[in-house]
Amino acid sequence: MSDTHRIFPQSDFQVQELPTDGKLFFPDRKQAEMEFKNGRKELAEFQRRLYAEGKQKLLIVFQAMDAGGKDGTIRKVFSGVNPQGVVVNSFKVPSKEELAHDFLWRIHKKAPSKGMIGVFNRSHYEDVLVVRVHDIVPESVWRPRYEQINQFEKLLHDTGTRVLKFFLHISKDEQKERFQDRLDVPEKNWKFSVDDLRKRTYWDDYMSAYQEMMEQCSTEYAPWYAIPANQKWYRNWAIMNVILSTLREMDPQYPPPEDDIEGIVVE
Ligand code: ATP
Ligand code: MG
């Protein structure tokens, strides 16, 4: 179940044909919402154990088109988890200082430390998405990045970090509706950006960039999942399932108590 949307290495797929409607996979919304709520409790318990154990790390990357639901996913999935154990980082247009370094410099600094769950809202993948689509650097610079990213993620993996990457896949029509909603509802106006409309006109170029990103960088050690994200309840449920099944494999344990504490009474 948790592998339904996984992109396996060398698999043959067309991003434009990957599903955006999750309800085809799991039609029962009520059931999904109930399972999601239970999943949150399980996630909170896993996080406590991961933190107490203090050895392993989990990195969760989110990429999507604008209005794809990165913010909402992070809010929904991680509410209920101790904020001390989860660090969310959003990667925006790089600063002058960041641009003066290699593209992974700002990313590596934010990789989770032992016992932590790190969440990336956008990531190093912007450097082969927005940067590629809008010709911010020439192809001779962005093309080698796929391999550089694979090596970076291998390093993270080999040093105790599990890496999960989610592409929240919405349809172009769904994006239109969400943009319109941001225009129509005063409380959502702040989320609307004219620049997002400009990026929308490059939809097909973005899809090609997502296609190659997943072809080149969905590895055994750092898989991509293309999550149908038109229905938020399905998106949340599917992502929760992948995270939980990964944590089950990681199987973090509370450390044994110090020496022999049996019989100690606190005066
Ligand atoms: P979001 O749109 O993710 O909800 P936001 O609206 O709060 O976030 P924005 O101000 O839109 O934040 O900042 C994100 C912008 O930064 C995006 O347009 C993204 O493509 C851009 N960005 C991120 N990383 C890079 C990069 N390495 N190079 C160029 N642009 C980047
Ligand atoms: Mg934005």
Side-chain angles (χ1 to χ4, degrees):
M1 170 50 77
S2 65
D3 274 345
T4 309
H5 304 299
R6 179 168 175 170
I7 306 291
F8 286 95
Q10 272 99 47
S11 71
D12 197 12
F13 70 96
Q14 282 303 314
V15 73
Q16 302 268 31
E17 286 160 22
L18 291 176
T20 50
D21 277 317
K23 57 181 191 289
L24 307 172
F25 294 89
F26 196 102
D28 190 343
R29 176 175 179 163
K30 283 239 146 50
Q31 177 73 18
E33 286 173 342
M34 200 186 72
E35 290 182 20
F36 178 74
K37 276 197 187 138
N38 292 333
R40 273 212 291 232
K41 291 187 198 134
E42 204 182 333
L43 178 61
E45 170 59 17
F46 270 126
Q47 183 278 326
R48 281 195 287 274
R49 278 161 53 183
L50 194 74
Y51 189 86
E53 181 191 69
K55 289 183 182 156
Q56 309 180 74
K57 317 142 200 174
L58 176 61
L59 173 61
I60 303 172
V61 172
F62 291 106
Q63 287 290 160
M65 292 296 283
D66 291 303
K70 298 188 301 323
D71 292 345
T73 302
I74 294 167
R75 191 174 62 243
K76 285 281 182 185
V77 170
F78 297 99
S79 67
V81 176
N82 181 354
Q84 287 220 73
V86 180
V87 179
V88 181
N89 281 287
S90 298
F91 293 97
K92 311 242 172 190
V93 177
S95 67
K96 221 176 146 195
E97 190 192 15
E98 287 167 346
L99 283 174
H101 291 82
D102 70 83
F103 76 108
L104 292 169
W105 180 75
R106 64 173 184 161
I107 309 290
H108 203 168
K109 281 198 291 194
K110 302 292 184 186
S113 55
K114 288 177 176 174
M116 300 294 289
I117 299 175
V119 178
F120 284 179
N121 182 347
R122 303 186 190 271
S123 65
H124 42 304
Y125 284 97
E126 292 293 325
D127 292 282
V128 288
L129 292 167
V130 66
V131 167
R132 164 179 167 154
V133 171
H134 300 289
D135 284 324
I136 297 174
V137 300
E139 179 165 1
S140 59
V141 174
W142 60 254
R143 173 133 326 260
R145 286 180 176 167
Y146 296 113
E147 184 51 29
Q148 290 158 357
I149 288 172
N150 286 342
Q151 289 184 10
F152 167 62
E153 292 177 354
K154 180 84 168 45
L155 168 73
L156 295 182
H157 174 268
D158 290 352
T159 50
T161 305
R162 284 293 289 257
V163 183
L164 294 174
K165 302 176 297 198
F166 295 103
F167 166 46
L168 312 181
H169 190 22
I170 56 167
S171 62
K172 201 174 176 190
D173 285 344
E174 180 67 20
Q175 189 194 51
K176 182 178 176 190
E177 277 182 35
R178 292 185 186 185
F179 280 173
Q180 195 59 53
D181 195 47
R182 289 177 175 188
L183 286 165
D184 296 344
V185 181
E187 292 76 28
K188 293 187 182 171
N189 285 171
W190 67 275
K191 285 197 199 175
F192 181 79
S193 133
V194 177
D195 191 53
D196 292 351
L197 286 186
R198 187 182 65 90
K199 286 203 256 157
R200 178 174 165 78
T201 65
Y202 290 86
W203 185 275
D204 291 345
D205 294 335
Y206 270 102
M207 289 305 122
S208 305
Y210 278 107
Q211 170 89 29
E212 190 154 10
M213 169 192 89
M214 292 191 284
E215 276 169 2
Q216 303 265 1
C217 300
S218 200
T219 54
E220 280 301 327
Y221 50 87
W224 270 107
Y225 293 82
I227 303 291
N230 280 359
Q231 289 88 37
K232 296 171 185 171
W233 58 268
Y234 180 83
R235 171 199 78 195
N236 297 340
W237 175 85
I239 290 171
M240 183 64 91
N241 284 339
V242 176
I243 295 175
L244 288 177
S245 93
T246 302
L247 281 162
R248 278 183 209 115
E249 280 175 30
M250 292 170 77
D251 194 25
Q253 300 292 327
Y254 288 113
E258 268 183 37
D259 299 332
D260 191 6
I261 58 170
E262 216 177 310
I264 295 181
V265 177
V266 181
E267 298 287 339

